């Protein structure tokens, strides 16, 4: 269960915000220090490889210069910025057994420690990645692909070849980093036998011929299959990204039993995989490991018995042929758009290895800066010409332009959020602050409200009519101790505020909640503003205690400067007023410091002898708050005494304190909360700091506000 709300508050944060310009400069600085293939803002280098062959004999043509080539993007001539020629015949033998390209260290049987080679060391070498998609292959398919790979590694691998092995099963693994050691590679690739079908197998869908059997039920698992396809495309994208810093041309042999997408589903993932491969200078050579297939109207052993008229009117055969074509279409697209080739309907995989060696034996690397500054993410067609007759050129037909946030689609935006949520690196383009509280619902459940604050100065509000408008995307998850996601939040908050509220000088507060059992958890939330696409993230750990082991069982202590009317029923609501947590603990002199906390299972007093029979014993919980500066106590609230429980159904007493701050001087205070269960002889004295500031300068007509999920803004109570 989750509840969402967003509030605009007048609190000022103690922590300074990160200026966007500084964050962008830092990112550019890190990119420049990393070396390799660097994409600079509005100055991306587009790199493409060109193989020149004699039009009649097919022999490689050497000795061409930069002036011999002309390159066009969508028909418009571009100025060549970089030019180079590489050939495996000029490769210098490496002394290292392994080159670190995909992983930090090799992991294969008999492999040696990985050694990072200098860029000049791998120049003119042929870099080949063999990627085995174990999730899609049948046993006989895997046997064929492993046999072909071992034959190549043993008999046809050349001294200039550096090969890496990657597999996708339950996880994506680098089984062997780039190495020229044939024995290590042959041993490692042999391990794949017997691992077919790992991970997620494809499910049934509406196009299978099983649907002809009307006596049974075949579930439509299209969404399940879409997730599997996304997973496979994400693996390809991850491999490409890991190779970006190696500027040489790379080839990826993709062994798969077919990969299908459903209509326009997976389109964003497919485009992202192709774009990453193009930017990494990686050509994909797809190999359908099913080999030559005989498509029968009755299907094969993987489908159920066919009933009905489909076998006689051609419908079943058409379905099977369409399904087979669909499973090859994505592989063909990956190959054609990255400059590779696809190999289908053949039981001999040797031509795929030969093609890779042939295409990367010698090539011209040409780079240019596009004259089109629009970052629209659209596909741009490349045309390369040579001024010498009788030469045929082979090159990648185009690339996707960089895309800024304004030109990205819904699928791309959602994928960016999910990737940032899964990333180990925090997003720092905008400041985000988070606080987590807990209240016990029963013996094994806690209500956990999560409050997030985004400074209004970080949000680029736009004027729409007579309102200040902005949209925030918020995504978050809760992970338990064994790294399992057990809770998630996803919300788009639309702000539509009166300009008199001065939203840029305030903070936007968002609140959600989770119901969790006792234990230790890790929370991460990502916030993105949808004008420029800047993102910020915040992570926190929380431990929900086993309260039965504690003498005095207490909830978190809520500090608030604002309460607002609500009809919700949560532990944050008392008498129709919801406490809005002040996570910065910064207050003004013209505000009140509101405290709310709960004590669970307070000890019952001994029943008096003169009490009527059946009378429920009372409780005796005492509480007060002291404010100190240094060793001097400057304020103390009157003692609050609870004689009966006031939280229905939860064996708890809720205590509220109201501290007017008018009489306090500006400054920092140490607060000590005194909580005593007099009947049980237990107590607690938690401490926390607050900062009191002078009242803010008022603007005529200005008023505080709260913004709910509906996007409406209305005056609220500070």
């Amino acid at each position: 269960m989750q509840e969402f709300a967003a509030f605009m508050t007048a609190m000022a944060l103690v922590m300074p915000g990160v200026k966007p310009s500084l964050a962008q400069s830092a990112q550019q600085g890190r990119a420049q220090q990393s070396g390799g293939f660097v994409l600079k803002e509005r100055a991306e280098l587009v790199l493409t490889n060109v193989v020149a062959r004699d039009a009649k004999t097919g022999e490689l043509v050497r000795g061409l210069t930069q002036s011999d080539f002309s390159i066009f993007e969508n028909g418009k001539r571009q100025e060549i910025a970089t030019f180079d020629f590489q050939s495996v015949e000029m490769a210098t033998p490496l002394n290292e057994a392994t080159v670190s390209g995909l992983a930090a260290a090799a992991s294969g049987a008999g492999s040696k420690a990985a050694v990072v080679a200098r860029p000049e060391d791998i120049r003119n070498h042929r870099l080949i990645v063999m990627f085995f998609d174990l999730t899609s292959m049948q046993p006989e398919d895997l046997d064929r692909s492993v046999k072909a790979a071992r034959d190549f590694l043993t008999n046809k691998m050349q001294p200039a070849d550096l090969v890496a092995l990657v597999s996708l099963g339950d996880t994506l693994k680098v089984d062997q980093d780039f190495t020229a050691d044939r024995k290590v590679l042959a041993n490692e690739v042999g391990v794949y036998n017997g691992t077919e079908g790992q991970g997620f197998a494809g499910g049934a869908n509406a196009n299978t011929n099983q649907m002809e059997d009307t006596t049974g039920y075949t579930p439509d698992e299209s969404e399940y299959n879409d997730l599997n396809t996304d997973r496979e495309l994400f693996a390809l994208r991850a491999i490409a990204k890991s190779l970006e810093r190696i500027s040489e041309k790379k080839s990826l042999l993709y062994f798969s039993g077919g990969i299908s997408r459903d209509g326009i589903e997976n389109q964003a993932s497919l485009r992202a995989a192709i774009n990453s491969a193009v930017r990494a200078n990686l050509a994909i050579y797809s190999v359908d490991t099913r080999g030559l297939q005989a498509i029968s109207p009755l299907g094969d052993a993987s489908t159920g018995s066919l009933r009905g008229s489909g076998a006689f009117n051609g419908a079943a055969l058409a379905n099977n042929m369409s399904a087979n074509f669909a499973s090859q279409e994505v592989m063909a697209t990956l190959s054609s758009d990255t400059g590779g080739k696809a190999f289908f309907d053949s039981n001999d995989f040797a031509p795929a290895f030969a093609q890779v060696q042939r295409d990367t034996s010698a090539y011209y690397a040409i780079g240019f800066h596009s004259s089109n500054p629009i970052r629209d993410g659209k596909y741009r067609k490349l045309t390369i010409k040579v001024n010498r007759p009788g030469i045929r050129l082979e090159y990648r037909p185009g690339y996707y332009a960089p895309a800024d946030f304004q030109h990205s689609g819904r699928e791309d935006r959602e994928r960016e959020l999910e990737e940032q949520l899964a990333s180990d690196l925090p997003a720092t383009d905008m400041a985000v602050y988070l606080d987590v509280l807990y209240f016990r619902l029963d013996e094994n459940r806690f209500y956990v409200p999560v409050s997030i604050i985004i400074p209004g100065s970080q949000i680029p509000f736009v004027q729409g009519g007579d309102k200040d408008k902005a949209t925030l995307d918020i995504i978050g998850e809760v992970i338990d101790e064994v790294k399992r996601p057990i809770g998630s939040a996803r919300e788009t908050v639309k702000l539509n505020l009166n300009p008199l509220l001065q939203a840029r000088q305030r903070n936007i507060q968002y609140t959600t909640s989770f119901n969790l059992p006792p234990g230790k958890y890790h929370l991460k939330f990502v916030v993105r503003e949808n004008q420029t696409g800047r993102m910020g993230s915040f992570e926190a750990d929380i431990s929900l205690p086993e309260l039965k082991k504690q003498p005095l069982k207490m909830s978190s202590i809520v500090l608030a400067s604002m309460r607002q009317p609500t009809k919700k029923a949560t532990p944050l609501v008392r008498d129709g007023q919801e406490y809005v947590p002040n996570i910065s603990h910064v207050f003004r002199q013209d505000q009140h410091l509101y405290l709310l906390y709960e004590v669970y299972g307070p000890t019952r007093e001994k029943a008096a002898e003169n009490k009527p029979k059946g009378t429920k014993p009372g409780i005796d919980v005492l509480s007060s708050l002291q404010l100190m500066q240094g060793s001097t106590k400057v304020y103390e609230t009157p003692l609050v005494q609870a004689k009966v429980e006031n939280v229905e159904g939860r064996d708890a007493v809720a205590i509220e304190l109201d501290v007017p701050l008018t009489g306090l001087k500006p400054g920092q205070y140490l607060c000590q909360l005194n909580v005593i269960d007099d009947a049980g002889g237990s107590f607690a004295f938690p401490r926390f700091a607050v900062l009191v500031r002078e009242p803010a300068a008022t603007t005529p007509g200005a008023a505080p506000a709260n913004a709910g999920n509906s996007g409406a803004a209305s005056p609220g109570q500070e």
Side-chain angles (χ1 to χ4, degrees), residues 187-347:
N187 289 339
E188 190 65 50
V189 78
V191 177
Y192 294 143
N193 279 318
T195 57
E196 66 280 344
Q198 286 190 2
F200 301 88
N205 57 62
N207 293 325
T208 62
N209 61 16
Q210 292 180 358
M211 297 303 291
E212 284 286 336
D213 185 357
T214 59
T215 63
Y217 169 69
T218 300
D220 188 348
E221 297 171 327
S222 298
E223 292 186 5
Y224 172 81
N225 293 335
D226 290 342
L227 291 175
N228 288 349
T229 299
D230 275 344
R231 181 172 179 265
E232 293 161 344
L233 292 172
F234 179 81
L236 288 167
R237 182 169 178 241
I239 295 172
K241 279 188 168 293
S242 70
L243 294 169
E244 281 184 349
R245 294 187 179 182
I246 301 177
S247 59
E248 278 71 23
K249 181 179 181 180
K250 284 83 62 179
S251 304
L252 184 141
L253 277 161
Y254 176 36
F255 296 95
S256 174
I259 174 174
S260 301
R261 61 190 178 103
D262 184 12
I264 63 171
E265 299 294 335
N266 314 116
Q267 183 63 32
S269 300
L270 176 61
R271 185 173 63 182
I274 293 172
N275 197 28
S276 295
V278 169
R279 290 182 179 277
N281 202 12
L282 175 69
I284 298 176
Y285 294 78
S286 301
V287 180
D288 187 348
T289 59
R290 293 170 295 184
L292 184 61
Q293 301 180 75
I295 299 178
S296 167
L298 299 178
D300 54 27
S302 66
T303 63
S305 299
L306 181 66
R307 301 182 184 180
S309 60
F312 307 102
N313 59 19
L317 181 61
N319 280 344
N320 288 338
M321 293 186 67
S322 296
N324 183 69
F325 173 78
S327 67
Q328 294 178 340
E329 182 263 341
V330 174
M331 298 172 66
T333 301
L334 287 168
S335 296
S336 63
D337 287 358
T338 59
K341 290 180 175 60
F343 296 85
F344 300 146
D345 303 322
S346 175
N347 294 331

